[in-house]
Amino acid sequence: MTTYTAVLRDRTFRVLFGTRTLSILADSLRIVALSLLVYAATDSPALAALAYGIGFLPQLLGASVLGALADRIRPRPLIVLGYLAEAAVAALLAAFALPVWAALALVAAGALLTPVFMGAQNALIAETLTGDAYVLGRSLANVASSLAQLVGMAGAGVAVAVLGGRDAMLLAALGHIIAAVWTRLSLADRPPAHVTDRPTAPRAGIRTASGPKGLAAASWRGNAALLRDRTVRRLLLVQWLPPAFITGAEALMVPYAADRGFPVGVAGWLLAAIPVGMVGGNLVVGRLLAPARRERLVPALIALMGLPCLVFALPATRAGQPAWPVLAAALVLVGVGFAFGLGVQAAFRDALPADGRGQAFGLLSTGLMTAQGLLPALAGLLAEALRPGLVVGLLGVATLLSAAGAAPRLVRRQDRREQQQRAGHGGRDDEVEALLGR
């Protein structure tokens, strides 16, 4: 049986895991420091919120025009370049007192490369770890990401208070530089996935960009080919939509706490509850459940993300609305539900063309980041007309609907697997198609 210890023995994964965790810590520090500096300069909550999320939406453009690079350049120099670009952004913000618009534009420009080097990282993990080791590797990455964000956000406040905003951003730049040097010295230099013009897609219907045409056109063609494939498209949507709805609900915790008249600081406890649940859910589901069980539980785990959100929509009654510790506990359950991704990731990897995984993983990351940029804004606009708690409840209903749509296809995949095992045969591509009713 594959274990976390066995996964960490793999040198390539260990380097990617360590450097990315360090980078998330550094990026969290940079995000908080910039938001505080922008708010201090403008006294504008809207601009401070924009500074917090400005790195998300530009990734859509980056994936659209640069996505093909993830399969055309050797992964080690591409990943090193990504970390150095993040270091340069943080260093420039620290060194120069830029106008707010220029600081935001600089962060947005740096975010254009994120889908490319993130796609290269994830493709390298998919190439290195086989079978269930890949899913456990993704589980470890999810846990590390959640913990790094928690530590980074908490530590950022201390660092800014002790060092000041600009020196804190210099510390963030140093973290990215260490990650770049670590990658350069410890990661093997492999060839790019796309080394010839010969299509190598394992399944008909998907062709990634090839030939000497422009990079932007190649990126567009590659993304379009991935989205045209019904299996890949549905696997992307099932990984995009539930987290998107919950991100929108999470963005309303501050106005919800104010609307309920909770003490100052309660919103922070509510926001911390989901990452806590994510850590526990990924560890339990990844370590204790077999692959087939994870796949069967995908609809239930998505439902677990949505159901606790309904508590926030409860109207005021004589008995009173739930106390904030009850709400925090509900959000921990929401975080546990995020482990549904462990039941989907292997199927997504297996559905991809061998020479286009980097671009596909970049597209997956871009969709998630775009949702994190859009859904909070949409939820905030809706909360202008409705109670914040009601909007959180509506987003919970949307999450439940996405779970209901995934259920029959996942059950059919498992039934198909069992039939193949009884018959003594079965292929990975058949399993992927059965997953989503192809």
Side-chain angles (χ1 to χ4, degrees), residues 39-263:
Y39 186 73
T42 65
D43 201 31
S44 169
L47 285 175
L50 181 61
Y52 188 90
I54 191 63
F56 295 147
L57 286 178
Q59 294 187 35
L60 181 61
L61 177 61
S64 299
V65 300
L66 301 174
L69 280 176
D71 298 301
R72 293 177 172 226
I73 297 178
R74 300 194 318 277
R76 187 178 71 181
L78 188 57
I79 295 168
V80 170
L81 175 63
Y83 287 140
L84 290 177
E86 291 182 333
V89 168
L92 288 171
L93 290 171
F96 300 100
L98 299 174
V100 171
W101 67 266
L104 297 181
L106 177 63
V107 175
L112 293 175
L113 275 178
T114 301
V116 181
F117 84 89
M118 284 291 292
Q121 283 182 323
N122 290 330
L124 201 52
I125 291 174
E127 178 186 341
T128 301
L129 300 179
T130 59
D132 200 44
Y134 170 73
V135 177
L136 289 186
R138 297 294 300 172
S139 171
L140 269 178
N142 292 340
V143 170
S145 175
S146 298
L147 289 175
Q149 288 179 38
L150 279 172
V151 174
M153 296 297 181
V158 176
V160 171
V162 174
L163 302 175
R166 300 199 182 283
D167 286 345
M169 276 192 282
L170 278 178
L171 186 60
L174 177 61
H176 291 304
I177 290 172
I178 292 173
V181 173
W182 186 355
T183 300
R184 177 62 182 81
L185 296 178
S186 302
L187 191 65
D189 193 15
R190 301 182 181 219
H194 190 90
V195 293
T196 71
D197 289 339
R198 179 177 57 84
T200 58
R203 294 173 19 343
I206 303 179
R207 291 293 183 268
T208 52
S210 61
K213 295 184 179 180
L215 177 62
S219 299
W220 274 100
R221 286 200 311 272
N223 288 332
L226 290 164
L227 291 171
R228 277 197 306 268
D229 184 88
R230 186 170 61 177
T231 300
V232 173
R233 184 174 64 249
R234 287 175 173 172
L235 283 165
L236 284 169
L237 288 174
V238 80
Q239 294 176 90
W240 285 344
L241 292 181
F245 296 139
I246 297 305
T247 300
E250 191 176 13
L252 295 177
M253 288 302 106
V254 171
Y256 174 81
D259 184 59
R260 288 287 309 275
F262 287 141

Side-chain angles (χ1 to χ4, degrees), residues 149-404:
Q149 288 179 38
L150 279 172
V151 174
M153 296 297 181
V158 176
V160 171
V162 174
L163 302 175
R166 300 199 182 283
D167 286 345
M169 276 192 282
L170 278 178
L171 186 60
L174 177 61
H176 291 304
I177 290 172
I178 292 173
V181 173
W182 186 355
T183 300
R184 177 62 182 81
L185 296 178
S186 302
L187 191 65
D189 193 15
R190 301 182 181 219
H194 190 90
V195 293
T196 71
D197 289 339
R198 179 177 57 84
T200 58
R203 294 173 19 343
I206 303 179
R207 291 293 183 268
T208 52
S210 61
K213 295 184 179 180
L215 177 62
S219 299
W220 274 100
R221 286 200 311 272
N223 288 332
L226 290 164
L227 291 171
R228 277 197 306 268
D229 184 88
R230 186 170 61 177
T231 300
V232 173
R233 184 174 64 249
R234 287 175 173 172
L235 283 165
L236 284 169
L237 288 174
V238 80
Q239 294 176 90
W240 285 344
L241 292 181
F245 296 139
I246 297 305
T247 300
E250 191 176 13
L252 295 177
M253 288 302 106
V254 171
Y256 174 81
D259 184 59
R260 288 287 309 275
F262 287 141
V264 176
V266 166
W269 288 103
L270 295 178
L271 287 169
I274 290 180
V276 169
M278 290 172 68
V279 171
N282 271 272
L283 288 174
V284 171
V285 173
R287 182 65 184 89
L288 301 182
L289 300 184
R293 179 67 64 182
R294 292 187 211 120
E295 292 165 9
R296 276 196 175 278
L297 283 178
V298 166
L301 289 170
I302 295 176
L304 185 61
M305 296 170 68
L307 193 61
C309 293
L310 303 184
V311 176
F312 289 80
L314 293 176
T317 63
R318 185 177 303 173
Q321 291 176 312
W324 74 261
V326 175
L327 297 171
L331 290 174
V332 170
L333 293 178
V334 172
V336 171
F338 272 85
F340 86 90
L342 300 180
V344 179
Q345 288 164 353
F348 179 68
R349 175 200 59 190
D350 295 344
L352 301 177
D355 62 348
R357 282 179 174 173
Q359 185 167 0
F361 281 114
L363 182 61
L364 172 63
S365 172
T366 299
L368 290 170
M369 293 299 102
T370 302
Q372 289 185 38
L374 288 177
L375 262 294
L378 295 175
L381 289 174
L382 192 56
E384 293 289 335
L386 303 172
R387 289 186 299 108
L390 181 57
V391 178
V392 172
L394 291 174
L395 290 167
V397 171
T399 307
L400 289 171
L401 291 175
S402 67

